[in-house]
Amino acid sequence: MAIRRIIKIGDETLSKKCRPVTDFNARLATLLDDMAETLHEANGVGLAAPQVGILKRAVVIDVGEGIIELINPKIVSSSEETTNDYEGCLSVPEKWGYVERPQTVTVKAEDRSGNPFELTGEGLLARAICHELDHLDGHLFTEKVSEYVDLSET
Ligand code: NI
C-alpha cells in the first residue's frame, strides 16, 4: 500500500466526469488499498478516485465503522427528509460549510471483484455517499454550500 497525493481545488482533474470501472483486476485492488491508506492518513471520511488523479468511478468511505468500497455507485433512492450539516473535503483544505443532503440514501454499487450489492446509509454515511458520488461527476461540495463555518475559532 502507498499514500497517494491528494489533488486540491483549482486542479481541473476535479471537475471531470469519471469513467466506469470495467476491469476488476489487481490494479483496481491496489488503487482501493492505496485510497484507504491515503484516507486514513489524512483523517478523512471519504475519498474518490479523481482526488488521487484517477478518473474512474470508485470511492472509499469510512465513517468510523471500517472501509466501504463503492465501485460504479449509483444512488437508487434518497429520502425527502434532509439534514443541513457542515462537511469538508480533503481536496478543499481548511474549509467547512453547510450542505443540505438527504437523511437516507440507498446506493447500488459493485465490490472490488465486480459483485453487485446495495447499501443504505443514514446521516453521516448518507452525506458521505452523496459527497463522494458528486466527485465522480466532477462536482465539489463548495458548489452546494449555503454557509461556510470557521472551525478554527472553536
Ligand atoms: Ni471531497
Side-chain angles (χ1 to χ4, degrees), residues 14 46-48 51 87-92 128 131-132 135 139-141:
L14 293 175
L47 188 69
Q51 292 181 274
E87 59 187 67
C89 178
L90 295 175
S91 292
V92 186
H131 177 118
E132 298 313 322
H135 275 295
H139 297 297
L140 295 178
F141 84 106

Side-chain angles (χ1 to χ4, degrees), residues 46-67:
L47 188 69
Q51 292 181 274
V52 294
I54 307 293
L55 292 172
K56 294 277 187 185
R57 304 188 79 82
V59 312
V60 297
I61 291 170
D62 191 342
V63 294
E65 295 165 2
I67 282 282

Side-chain angles (χ1 to χ4, degrees), residues 111-142:
D111 67 15
R112 61 166 66 196
S113 305
N115 303 306
F117 66 97
E118 231 178 69
L119 171 77
T120 297
E122 277 185 59
L124 178 60
L125 179 55
R127 177 170 297 279
I129 289 170
C130 294
H131 177 118
E132 298 313 322
L133 267 61
D134 279 350
H135 275 295
L136 302 182
D137 290 319
H139 297 297
L140 295 178
F141 84 106
T142 51

Side-chain angles (χ1 to χ4, degrees), residues 39-100:
L39 175 67
H40 286 148
E41 201 256 351
N43 289 315
V45 165
L47 188 69
Q51 292 181 274
V52 294
I54 307 293
L55 292 172
K56 294 277 187 185
R57 304 188 79 82
V59 312
V60 297
I61 291 170
D62 191 342
V63 294
E65 295 165 2
I67 282 282
I68 297 169
E69 299 172 347
L70 300 174
I71 316 301
N72 300 326
K74 278 196 182 105
I75 289 173
V76 290
S77 69
S78 7
S79 62
E80 276 179 39
E81 192 192 344
T82 59
T83 59
N84 192 28
D85 208 342
Y86 65 84
E87 59 187 67
C89 178
L90 295 175
S91 292
V92 186
E94 305 301 314
K95 274 200 163 185
W96 293 269
Y98 280 86
V99 179
E100 193 170 3

